[in-house]
Amino acid sequence: MRILLVYPEFPDTFWSFKHALKFVRKKAGAPPLGLLTVAAMLPSEWEKRLVDLNVSSLTQADLAWADYVFVSAMIVQRDSARALIARCKEAGVKVVAGGPLFTMEHERFTDVDHFVLNEAELTLPPFLADLANGCAQHTYTTTEFPDIQQTPAPLWQLANLKHYDTVSIQFSRGCPFSCDFCNVTALLGHRPRLKTAAQIIAELDSLYALGWRKSIFFVDDNFIGNKKQIKSEVLPALIEWRKDKLGMPFSTEVSINLADDTELLRLMAQAGFDTVFVGIETPNEDSLVECSKTQNKGRDLVESVKRLQRAGLQVQGGFIVGFDNDTPSIFQQQIDFIQKSGIVTAMVGLLQAPPGTRLYERLKREGRLVNEMSGDNVDGSTNIIPKMGLEPLREGYRKILDQIYAPQFYYERVLTFLREYQPPQIRFHLEPQYILALGRSIYQLGIRGVERVHYWRLFFWTLFRRPRLFPLAITLAIMGFHFRQVTVLHIV
Ligand code: B12
């Protein structure tokens, strides 16, 4: 059997990092972990190829080669997925679809031959068994959550890693919290399910053996969902593993209560984590109560962020406007918070209600659902009718983005962050691309860019005051360029 695994294209969005990746001549952020994991679950004697449309194109010869095309996607890849499925139909190749887009809205893809939904650990084996017996069904689904200690290591060797800037790996699925707008618990459950430390070390070893030295993104919904296990098993194993390794800084997603645990913070920095994404959402306490974000309530959020930065973690933050409790003052409050906290990568979005969430059910009852979700939460669109009215909300939202990504504000924030930041000790692996990227940044941002004054100020400040942070400062300058392109041009 010949299986062609195809990953649809991401549009040019906040998280695509397209404009930043050009500086390091990379084509995409990370290879598609879902598809590579599914590939590892297929019989080993089957032939498999990966075409990630973000790094290469799909040829007629690819389609002619394949017995089945396996496609995975998120909502944001909807259009590209649709076009891909139409092409497969035209070429007469059968399509098997899975992953979050199809799990949420499979009934809208009438041309797909087989849906293998939810987590493939449970739904793929019955599909494969039926296929072998010539009686494959149209849809496979489950309400159970599998034990991921049985999940095989992804087949990274199918991906051409030279096109990517990061590799994703996964240690756990699920999150213990209950934020009402988040569909992670609907998709993956409340109880964090963990791999073993041995599994994750084997995955890292295989990436290291493939020559990977750049960053690793632990795509866990909340890496500290089970603190006990993380502290006693996983981090000690990662610390040991890192001892004789070069490069490979880690990043992940965590809840803000990490700031309350100094031992956990110390272990994370020692293990080589240098960046965490945290759902901050809002400085408005009433809105935190409204969405049941208990872990963020009743604390000095700026101080919590600074504690993470001082411990060696760059904090990237998710922010939301449009809660029922938000008043017109929320826009300035968010700007002030973001500037003060030194959260350079601030993903600000309008409140949206993904199907399957408590928020969705409430707004449905209240008759406040409209449109479909675009899947891009930084494009200024929403599927809800906000209490403050859509126009004032969008206007305020526009104001936030215009301000926080304007060069003056952005670079000021970078400096606020760098003043606070104490980086972890990771042995730096110098890639020739980094030197070329520095040259490109000097030309694009320091000579041609509207930000040139701010760029040079950051350049020399870092070089003289915090030379160890110089590569990070240039990376942030490049990311700022990307954020400006997507936030200025693409808000709908
Ligand atoms: C990593 C990640 C990203 C990375 C993607 C990097 C990459 N190229 O892979 C980045 C940072 C770019 C990203 C961005 C965004 N993401 Co994201 N992301 C994730 C995250 C945390 C992990 C995904 C992952 O790799 N999981 C590990 C693999 C093993 O799981 P998996 O892909 O689901 O695959 C399993 C099954 O789904 C199934 N499967 C998957 N594909 C296929 C295919 C076939 C044929 C079969 C049979 C089975 C199958 O089998 C696998 C094993 O069980 C998920 C949350 C989550 N835990 O899934 C959100 C998630 C996928 N993201 C989501 C969203 C909304 C976004 C953003 C809009 C912003 C945001 N709110 O975070 C942006 C949009 C992207 C853009 N460019 O604008 C949503 C998607 C909702 C949806 N229904 O589409 C999720 C589910 C989070 C959420 N709260 O809802 N994201």
Side-chain angles (χ1 to χ4, degrees):
M1 191 77 89
R2 291 166 165 176
I3 306 295
L4 188 66
L5 304 130
V6 187
Y7 199 47
E9 203 177 345
F10 282 109
D12 185 5
T13 57
F14 190 88
W15 289 115
S16 70
F17 288 117
K18 274 189 188 163
H19 304 276
L21 289 169
K22 283 186 190 142
F23 284 78
V24 278
R25 296 291 188 266
K26 298 293 168 202
K27 292 187 172 168
L33 184 59
L35 276 179
L36 297 180
T37 305
V38 168
M41 296 176 195
L42 297 173
S44 56
E45 64 280 10
W46 288 11
E47 289 181 63
K48 296 141 203 147
R49 285 187 194 165
L50 172 75
V51 175
D52 176 354
L53 295 178
N54 297 287
V55 306
S56 61
S57 47
L58 179 67
T59 64
Q60 285 309 110
D62 290 326
L63 289 173
W65 172 86
D67 292 316
Y68 281 91
V69 165
F70 276 41
V71 53
S72 170
M74 298 190 214
I75 293 183
V76 74
Q77 292 155 289
R78 192 190 274 135
D79 292 346
S80 174
R82 225 178 257 295
L84 165 68
I85 293 162
R87 245 188 104 182
C88 293
K89 280 284 107 176
E90 243 172 67
V93 193
K94 288 203 164 158
V95 176
V96 178
L101 167 68
F102 303 103
T103 295
M104 277 174 75
E105 45 181 76
H106 58 97
E107 61 293 332
R108 301 170 70 185
F109 293 86
T110 46
D111 279 346
V112 167
D113 298 278
H114 305 283
F115 288 109
V116 179
L117 305 176
N118 306 100
E119 292 172 71
E121 286 81 352
L122 293 177
T123 49
L124 191 65
F127 167 67
L128 294 179
D130 289 350
L131 193 63
N133 294 325
C135 59
Q137 312 286 307
H138 183 254
T139 306
Y140 293 80
T141 166
T142 178
T143 50
E144 308 281 302
F145 300 118
D147 169 8
I148 60 172
Q149 301 198 349
Q150 308 306 320
T151 303
L155 289 190
W156 283 295
Q157 43 293 3
L158 294 182
N160 190 347
L161 295 182
K162 75 167 198 258
H163 293 312
Y164 300 94
D165 190 52
T166 303
V167 166
S168 319
I169 70 172
Q170 188 177 45
F171 170 66
S172 69
R173 294 184 195 162
C175 175
F177 294 107
S178 306
C179 313
D180 79 343
F181 54 79
C182 177
N183 62 354
V184 157
T185 46
L187 283 170
L188 299 160
H190 267 298
R191 192 177 56 82
R193 288 166 288 133
L194 320 178
K195 290 183 181 169
T196 61
Q199 262 175 300
I200 215 71
I201 295 296
E203 294 190 18
L204 288 170
D205 274 340
S206 81
L207 281 166
Y208 204 79
L210 286 170
W212 187 258
R213 299 290 179 272
K214 290 197 294 288
S215 58
I216 297 281
F217 176 23
F218 282 76
V219 297
D220 299 29
D221 306 300
N222 186 353
F223 185 73
I224 60 161
N226 181 330
K227 282 194 194 176
K228 195 166 156 242
Q229 201 92 345
I230 288 283
K231 281 204 247 185
S232 62
E233 268 185 41
V234 184
L235 291 173
L238 290 177
I239 291 168
E240 194 51 39
W241 179 84
R242 180 164 291 286
K243 278 187 178 152
D244 57 349
K245 303 294 185 304
L246 263 185
M248 281 175 107
F250 299 151
S251 64
T252 191
E253 305 185 344
V254 294
S255 41
I256 194 70
N257 54 317
L258 171 61
D260 310 334
D261 193 329
T262 21
E263 193 206 346
L264 183 53
L265 271 173
R266 185 183 54 77
L267 290 171
M268 281 188 70
Q270 220 182 326
F273 283 86
D274 68 1
T275 305
V276 288
F277 180 91
V278 183
I280 304 279
E281 323 311 356
T282 178
N284 180 354
E285 194 75 12
D286 294 337
S287 297
L288 290 173
V289 174
E290 171 189 328
C291 69
S292 310
K293 190 113 193 167
T294 47
Q295 66 275 32
N296 289 31
K297 275 187 331 197
R299 62 165 69 234
D300 180 342
L301 279 167
V302 172
E303 179 47 32
S304 297
V305 169
K306 303 250 169 201
R307 230 178 281 159
L308 302 186
Q309 292 167 341
R310 287 195 290 266
L313 298 169
Q314 180 192 163
V315 179
Q316 305 180 332
F319 296 87
I320 297 176
V321 286
F323 290 108
D324 287 357
N325 279 287
D326 283 351
T327 61
S329 66
I330 189 62
F331 307 112
Q332 193 56 45
Q333 259 178 282
Q334 289 278 24
I335 293 169
D336 294 343
F337 181 90
I338 291 166
Q339 289 304 117
K340 225 157 98 190
S341 61
I343 294 182
V344 178
T345 300
M347 172 183 83
V348 189
L350 299 190
L351 181 66
Q352 306 208 35
T357 58
R358 279 188 293 128
L359 178 66
Y360 185 90
E361 291 312 319
R362 173 168 74 84
L363 296 182
K364 193 166 147 195
R365 281 196 307 275
E366 294 175 11
R368 291 170 57 194
L369 289 175
V370 281
N371 312 330
E372 62 177 17
M373 282 174 59
S374 69
D376 175 3
N377 60 350
V378 193
D379 67 0
S381 69
T382 179
N383 65 338
I384 72 171
I385 302 175
K387 269 234 164 106
M388 76 164 72
L390 189 58
E391 268 326 298
L393 178 61
R394 286 171 55 113
E395 213 175 285
Y397 178 63
R398 184 70 272 170
K399 178 179 147 191
I400 298 181
L401 290 191
D402 280 352
Q403 234 181 81
I404 64 171
Y405 288 110
Q408 185 197 340
F409 282 80
Y410 182 80
Y411 278 84
E412 201 176 285
R413 208 155 72 239
V414 173
L415 282 172
T416 303
F417 161 61
L418 295 180
R419 281 192 193 105
E420 201 76 43
Y421 187 51
Q422 298 299 333
Q425 303 285 339
I426 300 166
R427 279 196 286 158
F428 188 64
H429 178 67
L430 186 67
E431 303 246 340
Q433 271 307 335
Y434 295 161
I435 297 167
L436 295 171
L438 170 64
R440 289 180 197 116
S441 80
I442 290 176
Y443 174 67
Q444 181 78 38
L445 313 177
I447 298 173
R448 291 185 55 201
V450 287
E451 64 272 69
R452 52 185 168 272
V453 176
H454 308 285
Y455 175 87
W456 287 114
R457 190 171 153 237
L458 175 69
F459 191 103
F460 288 114
W461 184 90
T462 324
L463 210 54
F464 292 119
R465 301 274 187 90
R466 306 288 306 275
R468 259 192 75 203
L469 298 181
F470 185 70
L472 177 60
I474 298 300
T475 306
L476 293 174
I478 291 172
M479 279 164 65
F481 175 74
H482 168 78
F483 294 141
R484 247 186 328 281
Q485 308 300 309
V486 290
T487 52
V488 169
L489 300 175
H490 297 278
I491 308 295
V492 292

